[in-house]
């Protein structure tokens, strides 16, 4: 029997979303002869009946492209009292067997709530450059974001060396310091600010002074967005840099990489990982694993109950933090 499955991308975009959509369609449509209906602009597409048929021809040529062909939005059907019921009704009206939600912590929490509240058949696919979703070892998009940050840090090294400066590079990571820790390690930073482990201007200044006392005259410091916010409200990056300049006497500049980390083409690693996620999601649909999120466990694809990612954040592990403490110079 021909089955009809809905799919949406929710929350912030992330390199690799199109690769997931592509392999998901490849397996369900090409291999099994089922039908895939895409909802445009996340949950809004369900409420507004903004759909897009996804055939094999529609997903050709999108593997290497950043962003999402489905569009995405923040916002949730849980924000209105009748939102969950309306989602369930639309899905039923369209004759969909269920919905695949490719999203981050927020979208997966919504997906789990819809499963609980209105029995929506839903399968989650974890996506975020922040790599902070519980239940999976790695999210696609993370590798690309780290590579972009590392490339930027490589460039910042040469200008900071020319001017004998300290440059503080703010990377994304609202609640978790995965990007910051990996970019600091890969980029050869001398210190890193992480949301999970508090640090002070004084402690960072000490690390810089020690380094400069041993012959270096420039330094890169990586700061996760969440850690910068923890230092103070709006303008915290500038205030942190000013404090560092006062404490060390060195010239300090700041760079915030922002959405550059989310844009553009995914790395080959993320294309393959995202493709694996899409295939796993299609297999989960075939197996009727509603209420689950597809996940990576070590090197294997698996699935976990949607309650695991819902409402929680996977923060930086002790092992990576220990590596950071031992390897930054
Ligand atoms: O969750 C991914 C992320 O890029 C965070 O690192 C960042 O804090 C947030 O999204 C930014 O969201 P927006 O694009 O809505 O400003």
């Amino acid at each position: 029997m021909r089955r009809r499955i809905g799919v949406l991308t929710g929350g912030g975009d992330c390199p690799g979303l199109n690769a997931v959509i592509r392999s998901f369609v490849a397996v369900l449509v090409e291999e099994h002869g089922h039908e895939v209906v895409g909802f445009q602009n996340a949950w809004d597409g369900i409420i507004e009946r903004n759909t897009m048929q996804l055939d094999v021809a529609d997903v050709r040529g999108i593997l290497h492209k950043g962003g999402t062909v489905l569009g995405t939005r923040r916002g949730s059907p849980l924000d209105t009292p009748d939102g969950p019921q309306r989602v369930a009704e639309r899905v039923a009206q369209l004759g969909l067997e269920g919905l695949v939600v490719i999203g981050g912590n927020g979208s997966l929490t919504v997906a789990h709530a819809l499963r609980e509240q209105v029995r929506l058949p839903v399968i989650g696919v974890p996506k975020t450059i922040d790599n902070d979703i519980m239940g999976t070892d790695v999210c696609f998009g993370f590798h690309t974001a780290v590579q972009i940050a590392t490339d930027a840090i490589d460039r910042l090294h040469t200008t900071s060396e020319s001017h004998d400066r300290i440059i503080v590079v703010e990377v994304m990571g609202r609640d978790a310091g995965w990007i910051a820790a990996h970019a600091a390690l890969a980029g050869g930073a001398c210190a890193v600010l992480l949301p999970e482990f508090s640090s002070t201007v004084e402690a960072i200044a000490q690390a810089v002074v020690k380094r400069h006392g041993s012959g270096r005259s420039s330094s890169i410091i990586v700061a996760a967005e969440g850690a910068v916010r923890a230092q103070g409200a709006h303008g915290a990056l500038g205030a942190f840099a000013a404090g560092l300049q006062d404490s060390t006497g060195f010239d300090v500049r700041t760079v915030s990489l922002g959405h550059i980390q989310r844009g553009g083409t995914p790395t080959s690693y993320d294309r393959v990982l995202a493709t694996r996620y899409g295939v796993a999601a299609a297999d989960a649909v075939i197996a009727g694993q509603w209420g689950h999120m597809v996940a990576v466990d070590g090197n294997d694809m698996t699935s976990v109950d949607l309650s695991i990612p819902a409402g929680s954040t996977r923060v930086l592990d002790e092992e990576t933090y220990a590596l950071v403490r031992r390897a930054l110079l």
Side-chain angles (χ1 to χ4, degrees), residues 160 163-168 190 201 204-221 240-254:
S160 65
H163 287 270
D164 292 347
R165 278 177 177 156
I166 301 170
I167 300 189
V168 184
C190 86
V201 174
I204 302 286
Q206 258 179 24
V208 170
V209 168
K210 184 175 165 215
R211 174 181 156 89
H212 288 224
S214 67
R216 303 299 294 180
S217 57
S218 68
S219 292
I220 300 290
I221 293 157
F240 174 77
L244 195 60
Q245 184 153 319
D246 285 349
S247 306
T248 61
F250 300 122
D251 203 12
V252 181
R253 294 289 187 274
T254 60

Side-chain angles (χ1 to χ4, degrees), residues 12-13 74 127-130 132 172-174 179 225 229 259 262:
D13 70 344
R74 299 229 182 251
K127 79 73 237 179
T128 170
I129 63 164
D130 291 357
D132 62 353
M172 277 189 165
R174 201 176 18 207
I179 298 176
E225 175 190 14
R229 275 192 209 162
H259 291 83
R262 290 218 317 243

Side-chain angles (χ1 to χ4, degrees), residues 148-163 165-170 187 218-222 253-257:
I148 292 168
T150 305
D151 291 344
I153 292 169
D154 286 349
R155 289 177 183 278
L156 293 170
H157 270 301
T158 62
T159 174
S160 65
E161 282 160 12
S162 304
H163 287 270
R165 278 177 177 156
I166 301 170
I167 300 189
V168 184
V169 188
E170 186 190 78
S218 68
S219 292
I220 300 290
I221 293 157
V222 176
R253 294 289 187 274
T254 60
V255 174
S256 184
L257 296 181

